[in-house]
Amino acid sequence: MVVLYSKSEIEKIKTASEVVKAVFKDLKNYIKPGITTKDVDKRVESIVYSMSAIPSSKGYHGFPGACCTSVNNVVVHGIPNDYVLKEGDIISVDVVANKDGFHSDACRTFPVGNISEEAERLIEVTKESFFKGVEYAKAGFRVSDISHAVQTHVEAAGFGVIREYQGHGVGRNMHEEPSIPNYGRPNRGFRLKPGAVLAIEPMVTYGDYAIKILEDRWTAVTVDGSIAAHYENTVVVTNDAPLILTLEDEE
């Protein structure tokens, strides 16, 4: 069942979103060559707790990190570790904050120092595909209208769209209905209504979209070794333009 949140509940999700926004604002300057993904995780955890919130990912089905740190060919669910970021890497940081019982979820892919033109283009197209999809996050459209818009933009750029992972509802729980694939035919699935809160999250590969899960049972990597990018925001459906709660002011 898709939960439709009240105005007061949406305000609470908005407050949780301020925590996520603060994290990404900080990481823009923090992420650089020479730090580890575990350093990134500690930084995220510190900021979240400093704002009287809880990192939702930590302990979720046993996940050890306060965030997911996915580097280069890691698509999603990278576990923070001792890997030292180097010039030219890209890292996707997926953050979910729980404040007063309401969750907000977003992800950004950051460059580490100077990166290749190919990596820059992948990051940009992934971000663009989110905004193509979010145009359909309005009352009256269906979930797969978002999916189709994302896929169309990504594949027109020559990139791959991940099939196994998808967006979702978010609010009192980190993962709620509806599921939001990043591919598919339009005019299918739940018809969107005001008050639905969605985590829309294109995951895009430079090469083929096939993935495999590593032995840790979390880390998803591209089979062909190509790099991947991830862009996500928490979005509220209204009768008018959607409210993107986790969007930084300068974006």
Side-chain angles (χ1 to χ4, degrees):
M1 183 182 75
V2 176
V3 179
L4 301 179
Y5 286 96
S6 66
K7 288 183 178 180
S8 62
E9 289 171 325
I10 289 169
E11 282 302 312
K12 292 180 179 180
I13 299 171
K14 187 175 181 179
T15 300
S17 298
E18 292 300 319
V19 178
V20 176
K21 288 166 65 175
V23 168
F24 290 135
K25 182 177 181 180
D26 179 84
L27 291 183
K28 281 183 179 179
N29 295 318
Y30 180 74
I31 290 176
K32 58 185 181 297
I35 65 172
T36 68
T37 59
K38 192 176 289 184
D39 291 331
V40 174
D41 184 67
K42 289 178 180 177
R43 186 82 169 191
V44 170
E45 186 172 33
S46 176
I47 295 169
V48 171
Y49 280 126
S50 75
M51 297 181 71
S52 301
I54 300 168
S56 308
S57 298
K58 192 158 190 176
Y60 180 75
H61 293 304
F63 188 81
C67 63
C68 299
T69 51
S70 303
V71 180
N72 296 334
N73 69 321
V74 179
V75 179
V76 285
H77 302 158
I79 296 174
N81 57 27
D82 293 324
Y83 176 82
V84 179
L85 294 173
K86 63 182 186 297
E87 188 89 11
D89 284 342
I90 61 174
I91 177 172
S92 299
V93 183
D94 194 345
V95 178
V96 191
N98 173 0
K99 188 169 175 66
D100 299 327
F102 289 85
H103 301 257
S104 178
D105 187 359
C107 184
R108 299 288 184 272
T109 300
F110 296 94
V112 181
N114 295 311
I115 62 174
S116 67
E117 290 183 7
E118 291 82 2
E120 286 183 354
R121 182 165 173 264
L122 176 66
I123 292 172
E124 188 60 28
V125 168
T126 304
K127 179 178 177 179
E128 289 170 356
S129 72
F130 165 86
F131 285 99
K132 293 294 184 181
V134 85
E135 290 178 12
Y136 296 91
K138 300 176 184 177
F141 288 106
R142 292 185 181 271
V143 163
S144 73
D145 295 328
I146 299 172
S147 311
H148 183 71
V150 169
Q151 180 183 16
T152 299
H153 186 74
V154 169
E155 293 183 348
F159 297 142
V161 178
I162 295 300
R163 265 61 171 171
E164 288 85 350
Y165 296 101
Q166 50 203 297
H168 51 89
V170 64
R172 288 191 179 275
N173 300 287
M174 179 161 51
H175 295 113
E176 299 180 348
E177 292 296 326
S179 295
I180 310 167
N182 291 304
Y183 71 101
R185 296 170 61 183
N187 197 34
R188 293 172 177 237
F190 175 74
R191 190 176 295 279
L192 298 172
K193 300 176 183 178
V197 182
L198 313 175
I200 300 171
E201 50 178 326
M203 289 158 269
V204 179
T205 63
Y206 195 81
D208 190 81
Y209 59 75
I211 65 167
K212 62 181 178 181
I213 311 298
L214 300 186
E215 289 183 0
D216 61 27
R217 298 185 179 180
W218 281 106
T219 308
V221 301
T222 56
V223 170
D224 63 7
S226 63
I227 57 175
H230 186 180
Y231 187 86
E232 175 184 21
N233 283 302
T234 294
V235 179
V236 180
V237 176
T238 75
N239 282 314
D240 301 309
L243 302 176
I244 308 175
L245 299 184
T246 46
L247 197 65
E248 297 100 295
D249 295 337
E250 63 269 25
E251 286 194 271

Coordinates of all heavy atoms in Angstrom, one line a residue, residues 47-91:
I47 N 28.0 14.1 11.0 CA 27.1 15.2 10.7 C 25.7 14.8 11.0 O 24.9 15.6 11.6 CB 27.2 15.5 9.2 CG1 28.6 16.1 8.9 CG2 26.2 16.5 8.8 CD1 28.9 16.2 7.4
V48 N 25.3 13.6 10.7 CA 23.9 13.1 11.0 C 23.6 13.2 12.5 O 22.6 13.8 12.9 CB 23.7 11.7 10.4 CG1 22.4 11.2 10.9 CG2 23.8 11.7 8.9
Y49 N 24.5 12.7 13.3 CA 24.3 12.7 14.7 C 24.3 14.1 15.3 O 23.6 14.4 16.2 CB 25.3 11.8 15.4 CG 25.0 10.3 15.4 CD1 26.0 9.4 14.9 CD2 23.8 9.8 15.8 CE1 25.7 8.0 14.9 CE2 23.5 8.5 15.8 CZ 24.5 7.6 15.3 OH 24.2 6.2 15.3
S50 N 25.2 15.0 14.7 CA 25.3 16.3 15.2 C 24.0 17.1 15.0 O 23.7 18.1 15.7 CB 26.4 17.1 14.5 OG 26.1 17.4 13.2
M51 N 23.1 16.6 14.1 CA 21.8 17.2 13.8 C 20.7 16.5 14.4 O 19.5 16.6 14.0 CB 21.6 17.4 12.3 CG 22.7 18.3 11.6 SD 22.5 18.5 9.9 CE 21.0 19.6 9.8
S52 N 21.0 15.7 15.5 CA 20.0 15.0 16.3 C 19.2 14.0 15.4 O 18.0 13.8 15.6 CB 19.1 15.9 17.0 OG 19.8 16.8 17.9
A53 N 19.9 13.4 14.4 CA 19.3 12.4 13.6 C 20.1 11.1 13.7 O 21.1 11.0 14.3 CB 19.2 12.9 12.1
I54 N 19.6 10.1 13.0 CA 20.2 8.7 13.0 C 20.4 8.3 11.6 O 19.6 8.5 10.7 CB 19.2 7.7 13.7 CG1 18.9 8.1 15.1 CG2 19.8 6.3 13.7 CD1 17.8 7.3 15.8
P55 N 21.6 7.7 11.3 CA 21.9 7.2 10.0 C 21.1 5.9 9.8 O 21.4 4.9 10.4 CB 23.4 6.9 10.0 CG 23.8 6.8 11.4 CD 22.8 7.6 12.2
S56 N 20.1 5.9 8.9 CA 19.2 4.8 8.8 C 19.8 3.5 8.3 O 19.4 2.4 8.6 CB 18.0 5.2 7.8 OG 17.4 6.4 8.2
S57 N 20.9 3.7 7.5 CA 21.5 2.5 6.9 C 22.3 1.7 7.9 O 22.4 0.5 7.7 CB 22.5 3.0 5.8 OG 21.8 3.7 4.8
K58 N 22.8 2.3 9.0 CA 23.7 1.6 9.9 C 22.9 0.5 10.6 O 21.9 0.8 11.3 CB 24.3 2.6 10.9 CG 25.4 1.9 11.7 CD 26.4 2.9 12.2 CE 27.6 2.2 12.8 NZ 28.6 3.2 13.3
G59 N 23.3 -0.7 10.4 CA 22.6 -1.9 11.0 C 21.4 -2.4 10.3 O 20.9 -3.4 10.6
Y60 N 21.1 -1.7 9.2 CA 19.9 -2.2 8.4 C 20.3 -3.5 7.7 O 21.1 -3.6 6.8 CB 19.6 -1.1 7.3 CG 18.4 -1.5 6.4 CD1 17.1 -1.4 6.9 CD2 18.6 -1.9 5.1 CE1 16.1 -1.7 6.1 CE2 17.6 -2.2 4.3 CZ 16.3 -2.1 4.8 OH 15.2 -2.4 3.9
H61 N 19.6 -4.6 8.1 CA 19.9 -5.9 7.7 C 21.4 -6.3 7.8 O 21.9 -7.0 7.0 CB 19.4 -6.1 6.2 CG 18.0 -6.1 6.0 ND1 17.1 -6.9 6.7 CD2 17.2 -5.3 5.3 CE1 15.8 -6.6 6.4 NE2 15.9 -5.7 5.5
G62 N 22.0 -5.7 8.8 CA 23.4 -5.9 9.1 C 24.4 -5.0 8.4 O 25.6 -5.2 8.5
F63 N 23.9 -4.1 7.6 CA 24.9 -3.2 6.9 C 25.7 -2.4 7.9 O 25.1 -1.8 8.8 CB 24.1 -2.2 5.9 CG 25.0 -1.5 5.0 CD1 25.5 -2.0 3.9 CD2 25.4 -0.2 5.3 CE1 26.4 -1.4 3.0 CE2 26.3 0.5 4.5 CZ 26.7 -0.1 3.3
P64 N 27.0 -2.4 7.7 CA 27.9 -1.8 8.8 C 28.1 -0.3 8.7 O 28.5 0.3 9.7 CB 29.2 -2.5 8.6 CG 29.2 -2.8 7.1 CD 27.8 -3.1 6.7
G65 N 27.7 0.3 7.6 CA 28.1 1.8 7.4 C 26.9 2.7 7.7 O 25.7 2.3 7.7
A66 N 27.3 4.0 8.0 CA 26.3 5.0 8.1 C 25.8 5.5 6.7 O 24.8 6.2 6.6 CB 26.9 6.2 8.9
C67 N 26.5 5.1 5.7 CA 26.1 5.4 4.3 C 26.7 4.4 3.4 O 27.5 3.6 3.9 CB 26.7 6.8 3.9 SG 28.5 7.0 3.9
C68 N 26.3 4.4 2.2 CA 26.9 3.5 1.2 C 28.0 4.3 0.4 O 27.7 5.4 0.0 CB 25.9 2.9 0.2 SG 24.6 2.0 1.0
T69 N 29.1 3.7 0.2 CA 30.2 4.4 -0.5 C 30.6 3.5 -1.7 O 31.3 2.5 -1.5 CB 31.4 4.7 0.4 OG1 31.8 3.4 1.0 CG2 31.1 5.7 1.5
S70 N 30.1 3.9 -2.9 CA 30.3 3.0 -4.1 C 31.3 3.7 -5.1 O 31.0 4.8 -5.6 CB 28.9 2.8 -4.7 OG 28.0 2.3 -3.8
V71 N 32.4 3.1 -5.2 CA 33.5 3.7 -6.0 C 33.6 3.1 -7.4 O 33.6 1.8 -7.5 CB 34.9 3.6 -5.3 CG1 36.0 4.2 -6.1 CG2 34.8 4.2 -3.9
N72 N 33.7 3.9 -8.4 CA 34.0 3.5 -9.8 C 33.0 2.5 -10.3 O 31.9 2.8 -10.7 CB 35.5 3.0 -9.9 CG 36.4 4.1 -9.7 OD1 36.1 5.3 -9.8 ND2 37.6 3.8 -9.2
N73 N 33.4 1.2 -10.4 CA 32.5 0.2 -11.0 C 31.5 -0.4 -10.0 O 30.7 -1.3 -10.3 CB 33.3 -1.0 -11.6 CG 34.0 -1.8 -10.5 OD1 34.5 -1.3 -9.5 ND2 34.1 -3.1 -10.7
V74 N 31.5 0.1 -8.8 CA 30.5 -0.3 -7.8 C 29.2 0.5 -8.0 O 29.3 1.8 -8.0 CB 31.0 -0.1 -6.3 CG1 29.9 -0.5 -5.3 CG2 32.2 -0.9 -6.1
V75 N 28.1 -0.2 -8.3 CA 26.9 0.5 -8.6 C 26.2 1.0 -7.4 O 25.8 2.2 -7.3 CB 25.9 -0.4 -9.4 CG1 24.6 0.3 -9.7 CG2 26.6 -0.9 -10.7
V76 N 26.0 0.1 -6.4 CA 25.3 0.5 -5.2 C 25.8 -0.3 -4.0 O 26.4 -1.4 -4.2 CB 23.7 0.3 -5.2 CG1 23.1 1.4 -6.0 CG2 23.4 -1.1 -5.8
H77 N 25.5 0.1 -2.8 CA 25.7 -0.6 -1.6 C 27.2 -1.0 -1.3 O 27.5 -2.0 -0.6 CB 24.9 -2.0 -1.6 CG 23.4 -1.7 -1.7 ND1 22.6 -2.7 -2.2 CD2 22.7 -0.6 -1.5 CE1 21.3 -2.2 -2.2 NE2 21.4 -0.9 -1.8
G78 N 28.1 -0.1 -1.7 CA 29.5 -0.2 -1.4 C 29.7 0.0 0.1 O 29.2 0.9 0.7
I79 N 30.4 -1.0 0.7 CA 30.6 -0.9 2.2 C 31.9 0.0 2.5 O 32.9 -0.3 1.9 CB 30.8 -2.3 2.8 CG1 29.6 -3.2 2.6 CG2 31.2 -2.3 4.2 CD1 29.7 -4.6 3.0
P80 N 31.7 1.0 3.3 CA 32.9 1.8 3.7 C 34.1 0.9 4.2 O 33.8 0.0 5.0 CB 32.4 2.7 4.8 CG 30.9 2.8 4.5 CD 30.5 1.4 4.0
N81 N 35.3 1.2 3.7 CA 36.4 0.4 4.1 C 37.7 1.2 4.0 O 37.7 2.4 4.1 CB 36.5 -0.9 3.2 CG 36.6 -0.6 1.7 OD1 37.0 0.5 1.3 ND2 36.1 -1.5 0.9
D82 N 38.8 0.5 3.9 CA 40.1 1.2 3.9 C 40.6 1.6 2.5 O 41.8 2.0 2.4 CB 41.2 0.3 4.6 CG 40.9 0.1 6.1 OD1 40.4 1.1 6.7 OD2 41.1 -1.0 6.6
Y83 N 39.8 1.5 1.5 CA 40.2 1.9 0.2 C 40.5 3.4 0.2 O 39.7 4.2 0.6 CB 39.1 1.6 -0.8 CG 39.4 2.1 -2.2 CD1 40.2 1.4 -3.1 CD2 38.9 3.4 -2.7 CE1 40.6 1.9 -4.3 CE2 39.3 3.8 -3.9 CZ 40.1 3.1 -4.8 OH 40.4 3.6 -6.0
V84 N 41.7 3.8 -0.3 CA 42.1 5.2 -0.4 C 41.7 5.7 -1.7 O 42.1 5.3 -2.8 CB 43.6 5.3 -0.2 CG1 44.0 6.7 -0.3 CG2 44.0 4.7 1.1
L85 N 40.9 6.8 -1.7 CA 40.4 7.4 -2.9 C 41.6 8.1 -3.6 O 42.5 8.7 -3.0 CB 39.4 8.5 -2.6 CG 38.0 8.0 -2.0 CD1 37.2 9.2 -1.6 CD2 37.3 7.1 -3.1
K86 N 41.6 7.9 -5.0 CA 42.7 8.5 -5.7 C 42.2 9.4 -6.8 O 41.0 9.3 -7.2 CB 43.6 7.4 -6.3 CG 42.8 6.5 -7.3 CD 43.8 5.4 -7.8 CE 43.1 4.5 -8.9 NZ 41.9 3.8 -8.4
E87 N 43.0 10.2 -7.3 CA 42.7 11.1 -8.4 C 42.0 10.4 -9.6 O 42.6 9.4 -10.0 CB 44.0 11.8 -8.9 CG 43.7 13.0 -9.9 CD 43.5 14.3 -9.2 OE1 43.8 14.4 -8.0 OE2 43.1 15.3 -9.9
G88 N 40.9 10.9 -10.0 CA 40.2 10.3 -11.1 C 39.1 9.3 -10.8 O 38.3 8.9 -11.6
D89 N 39.0 8.9 -9.5 CA 37.9 8.1 -9.0 C 36.6 8.9 -9.0 O 36.6 10.1 -9.0 CB 38.2 7.6 -7.6 CG 39.2 6.5 -7.5 OD1 39.5 5.9 -8.5 OD2 39.7 6.3 -6.4
I90 N 35.5 8.1 -9.0 CA 34.2 8.7 -8.7 C 33.6 7.9 -7.6 O 33.8 6.7 -7.5 CB 33.3 8.8 -9.9 CG1 33.0 7.4 -10.5 CG2 33.8 9.7 -11.0 CD1 31.9 7.4 -11.6
I91 N 32.9 8.5 -6.7 CA 32.3 7.8 -5.6 C 30.8 8.3 -5.4 O 30.6 9.5 -5.3 CB 33.1 8.1 -4.3 CG1 32.4 7.4 -3.1 CG2 33.4 9.6 -4.0 CD1 33.3 7.4 -1.8

